[in-house]
Amino acid sequence: MLSVVIPVYCEETLIRESLAAIHDTLQALDISCELIVIDDGSTDNTWEQVIKLQEVIPILRAQRFSRNFGKESAILAGLSLAKGQAVIVMDSDLQHPPVLIPQMVALWQASDADIVETVRMRPAGESVVRKLGARLFYTLMYALTDYDLSRMTDYKLMNRRVVDAWLALGEYNRFYRGLVAWLGFKRVEISFTVPARPDGTTSSWSLRALTKFAMQAIVSFSSRPLQVITFAGIGFFVFAVFMALRVGQQMLSGSAISGFATVILLQLIIGSLMMLGMGIIGVYIATIYNEVKGRPHYIVRDAFDMQDDETSELSTVPTASMSSSEDEAK
Ligand code: UDP
Ligand code: MG
């Protein structure tokens, strides 16, 4: 069985079209499939659309969060629900072309790879800020973690082994793409160019959300920024010893020391470095704080399952979630 997991946030304009396209592709495959939609607390009519789609897509299963918990949480919810031998995670806006699904499945069946990964060319018409931001993020990520994720996407097929390994990870902050890279396993790649969204709108990620996401991804993945502080400290210590020697020598030789500007400058530099250092430590402490709190990743508000599937119960939602779900959507 193949599970397709789709995180959805405020996609009322596209959701019908894209789920229909994905469903058509799945029907053409000769394996049994389930389509898992996680509504990440959409504020528009997305959930109503999903409920309506239940009539035309019998293999649909869905959960709706009580608020927007973020794509990573939605992916976690979807993966926890998935029952398939292989799971594909994809976007709901057709930027992850459904035509790749048969290719991914064929590759998975033909090779002994555990992960079929799609690698992308960045879409045309992205704003300069986003492009630069993405470049900065991936460069930092590579420098700090040694994983080059710049061409990776969230669109991948994972087999049961990988999904179980991923679900077994204990950490709260889960940067899906990074962690799947971290897991290892045998992987094959398919490349594609990311198409524009059919409705002409742009990404639903605000710049603020993206920045927060990037910070969390880096912090949850690498402690090297903390080491940078240590190295800066060592650098300054060496510099200070050198200065002290110089000053001592000048005092002995009786030449006057005029260096007011230097003192101010040093004060400023050291002060700002200390603040930077404390800031970085603060981010890590905040992350530890979040881990320790152990809050659920998401809270389910509504859910429905495949109609003809009596064996599946919604109480199988992950232990991490407080299932406040009232079965059957209203
Ligand atoms: N998404 C989500 N929660 C969010 C933001 C986005 O589940 O808070 C979903 C969204 O519906 C889409 C996918 O994540 O299916 C990718 O979002 P988007 O297309 O806005 O981002 P991009 O194409 O820039 O990666
Ligand atoms: Mg998109």
Side-chain angles (χ1 to χ4, degrees):
M1 188 195 218
L2 172 73
S3 309
V4 177
V5 168
I6 307 172
V8 182
Y9 178 60
C10 292
E11 303 271 14
E12 62 179 358
T13 49
L14 276 177
I15 190 77
R16 292 194 136 256
E17 188 189 337
S18 73
L19 287 189
I22 294 165
H23 184 226
D24 288 347
T25 320
L26 293 181
Q27 274 182 319
L29 296 172
D30 56 351
I31 44 178
S32 71
C33 300
E34 59 175 1
L35 197 58
I36 301 175
V37 169
I38 309 292
D39 180 348
D40 187 9
S42 299
T43 47
D44 58 4
N45 281 322
T46 305
W47 182 248
E48 284 69 29
Q49 305 266 21
V50 174
I51 291 177
K52 272 192 220 140
L53 280 164
Q54 212 181 351
E55 286 153 26
V56 280
I57 308 180
I59 56 168
L60 194 61
R61 307 170 67 200
Q63 272 188 350
R64 170 204 209 177
F65 289 173
S66 61
R67 63 168 173 86
N68 182 233
F69 279 89
K71 187 181 178 187
E72 306 292 303
S73 301
I75 292 177
L76 174 65
L79 288 180
S80 325
L81 276 180
K83 295 187 196 133
Q85 281 313 106
V87 182
I88 293 179
V89 175
M90 65 193 292
D91 283 2
S92 60
D93 56 2
L94 294 174
Q95 285 191 306
H96 289 166
V99 287
L100 292 180
I101 294 178
Q103 294 178 37
M104 291 164 87
V105 171
L107 260 176
W108 163 58
Q109 285 171 333
S111 68
D112 65 338
D114 301 296
I115 302 175
V116 182
E117 211 142 25
T118 67
V119 295
R120 64 165 163 204
M121 328 299 165
R122 289 199 77 82
E126 259 189 331
S127 79
V128 182
V129 180
R130 265 169 205 270
K131 247 188 222 156
L132 279 179
R135 166 103 23 111
L136 178 73
F137 170 67
Y138 288 119
T139 313
L140 257 179
M141 199 70 193
Y142 185 56
L144 294 173
T145 67
D146 298 333
Y147 291 112
D148 180 10
L149 301 174
S150 59
R151 290 163 63 240
M152 298 295 156
T153 65
D154 285 347
Y155 190 16
K156 30 184 139 248
L157 178 149
M158 295 173 284
N159 68 9
R160 193 34 54 196
R161 258 198 297 247
V162 182
V163 174
D164 287 344
W166 195 84
L167 289 174
L169 294 172
E171 61 210 86
Y172 187 80
N173 256 315
R174 284 155 185 257
F175 173 44
Y176 166 71
R177 229 175 301 159
L179 281 175
V180 172
W182 177 88
L183 283 174
F185 288 106
K186 189 156 191 282
R187 48 193 72 218
V188 286
E189 290 183 354
I190 298 181
S191 67
F192 75 107
T193 312
V194 180
R197 289 167 64 104
D199 62 352
T201 57
T202 48
S203 170
S204 57
W205 292 79
S206 65
L207 213 55
R208 198 170 141 247
L210 268 182
T211 313
K212 193 173 155 212
F213 172 78
M215 288 250 289
Q216 272 178 357
I218 290 175
V219 167
S220 70
F221 234 81
S222 165
S223 52
R224 266 182 226 176
L226 287 174
Q227 293 158 16
V228 171
I229 305 174
T230 319
F231 285 116
I234 293 172
F236 263 88
F237 181 71
V238 172
F239 182 60
V241 170
F242 170 74
M243 287 297 275
L245 289 176
R246 228 179 96 86
V247 169
Q249 183 204 13
Q250 279 177 345
M251 271 168 77
L252 286 179
S253 66
S255 61
I257 304 160
S258 70
F260 186 64
T262 325
V263 173
I264 298 286
L265 208 68
L266 273 177
Q267 284 269 6
L268 284 176
I269 293 174
I270 294 174
S272 55
L273 270 183
M274 293 225 301
M275 278 198 263
L276 179 76
M278 291 204 314
I280 296 179
I281 294 172
V283 175
Y284 279 90
I285 292 181
T287 309
I288 297 170
Y289 177 55
N290 271 333
E291 297 275 345
V292 169
K293 274 193 292 192
R295 292 219 177 129
H297 288 87
Y298 52 88
I299 294 168
V300 178
R301 172 154 183 253
D302 297 302
F304 64 79
D305 219 320
M306 265 187 244
Q307 281 147 332
D308 51 345
D309 190 357
E310 258 122 54
T311 52
S312 58
E313 290 209 351
L314 280 164
S315 51
T316 55
V317 279
T319 45
S321 78
M322 295 172 10
S323 14
S324 55
S325 59
E326 292 135 37
D327 299 10
E328 292 325 309
K330 284 147 250 164

